[in-house]
Amino acid sequence: MSNSKKHIAIIGAGLVGSLLSIYLIKRGYKVSVYERRADMRKQNLDAGRSINLALSNRGIRALESIGLAEQLKETAIPMHGRMMHSREGKLSFLPYGKEGQFINSISRAGLNKVLMSAAEQQGVEFHFEQRITKVDLENTSIEVHHSQTAADHRLPDVDRPKFDLVIGADGAFSVVRQAMQFTDRFDFSQDFIDHGYKELHIPPGSNSTFQLEKNALHIWPRESFMMIALPNPDGSFTCTLFFPFEGNPSFSALKTNEEISTFLQETFTDAVALMPDASNDYKTNPTSSLVTMKCFPWVKNKTLVIGDAAHAVVPFYGQGMNAGFEDCYKLNQLLDQYNDDWDHVLPEFQMLRKPDTDAIAQLALDNFIEMRDLVADPEFLLRKKIEAKINALYPDQWIPLYSMVTFNENIRYSTAYATGQKQKQIMDEVMKTPDIENKWEHLDFAGIVAKLG
């Protein structure tokens, strides 16, 4: 059967579903995308939940291969490093990598809209306000409920279209994966962390100026919690408070207007001075949870889960979207390799990607501790300085973990994780050197690198 005769359904018109639809339509398939929500291009959805995304090399490579990278870079803002804000308002800057290496702040909704429109232009059919209530894994069919207007009290129409392939790109709480969960020998785990997040906002200054350093990801590390801020093209910053649900301080502990206002002013003094609506944003924007989800297998018959539906991660490495985009890129590579023989591609895809997505899930959890806790620690900053020096002297042998993950798209996540663990053990020993603060520039760097083997 030629590709043009094959009809593929993608459930979910988010970032991964929209990107994947472009890859598949370019290969000649007929592609239909089903989305529960309304068309975000026609109305503003998810106010207060629009965490900016950090687009890095893996995601850019996926966009380059479909010809959209340059267009999207136009609205992205380069962030060359982390800008730490102490309680006293003191700033310290930690570059992400070498000169010229940066990640990009990009609007989730803006990116999603570009991908949807590009997909439609190529011939992808989008079906909005369509709720999938059942996925039949035996027959590769879905049960679709069409939303009715509020005034229309008829029972919703139901369709049961059949496809050659169904792909679930419907996020962490995937309906497609839920269907798989009822099958035999299907492993699934979900792990909510004790912290949730809430979005806050720093508006532009006069004449749309940036009130903080534009080309940085700003962090207010406060040990058990933190706030971050990412720049937007209009001069504003999208801030996200990552905060415990319970305990003191926590979302549950701050109840009155006065408690909220006092906490924000005392904890994030320099930021709140730039946020006229901080207390109101805190009260009105939703509090959302953070979860890691893992499952296996990702394939049942002719049905596949991909992106967050297969491997949702917490956002602390800035790799959730990049990992999902890399899924699409790698799947497309396998389709090239096996001449669109899905019987070969599907099992190969899950075996290839599972170790990598498990690795990035762990890295994201580890990085939360680093961001909220360690970035303010002098020993940690010295450690980073020593690692940068080793990397400058031996750029091919010693690549910092963050650079492997973020800037070296040819290194697998699983390889980066394993190498990072080795480097950590070596650096733990190095940091025990007596008087390291004064001696670090005269360490035996060649000997340190040799330990990597």
Side-chain angles (χ1 to χ4, degrees), residues 16 53-54 307-308 311 313-315 317-325 360 413:
V16 171
L53 299 166
D308 281 357
H311 51 81
V313 300
V314 293
Y317 224 107
Q319 287 294 309
M321 166 188 64
N322 292 289
F325 281 10
I360 195 59
Y413 286 133

Side-chain angles (χ1 to χ4, degrees), residues 84 109 156 171 227 244 321 326 403:
M84 272 79 72
M227 184 170 77
M321 166 188 64
E326 192 171 66
S403 295

Side-chain angles (χ1 to χ4, degrees), residues 5-18:
K5 299 260 170 49
K6 282 192 175 170
H7 191 180
I8 299 177
I10 296 175
I11 313 305
L15 296 170
V16 171
S18 298

Side-chain angles (χ1 to χ4, degrees), residues 232-294:
N232 297 308
D234 66 356
S236 68
F237 286 81
T238 300
C239 305
T240 309
L241 172 63
F242 295 101
F243 203 41
F245 279 107
E246 309 293 337
N248 190 18
S250 68
F251 284 123
S252 65
L254 299 180
K255 293 187 170 71
T256 68
N257 292 353
E258 192 180 348
E259 285 169 347
I260 294 165
S261 177
T262 302
F263 168 77
L264 292 174
Q265 283 174 358
E266 287 179 357
T267 314
F268 308 112
T269 311
D270 61 334
V272 171
L274 311 173
M275 301 161 81
D277 293 326
S279 296
N280 192 46
D281 283 349
Y282 182 97
K283 282 190 313 226
T284 55
N285 285 344
T287 303
S288 306
S289 57
L290 295 160
V291 69
T292 301
M293 289 195 178
K294 296 178 182 178

Side-chain angles (χ1 to χ4, degrees), residues 430-443:
V430 169
M431 295 308 289
K432 289 175 186 169
T433 307
D435 198 22
I436 181 89
E437 300 82 3
N438 300 311
K439 289 184 181 167
W440 73 269
E441 291 190 75
H442 308 290
L443 290 165

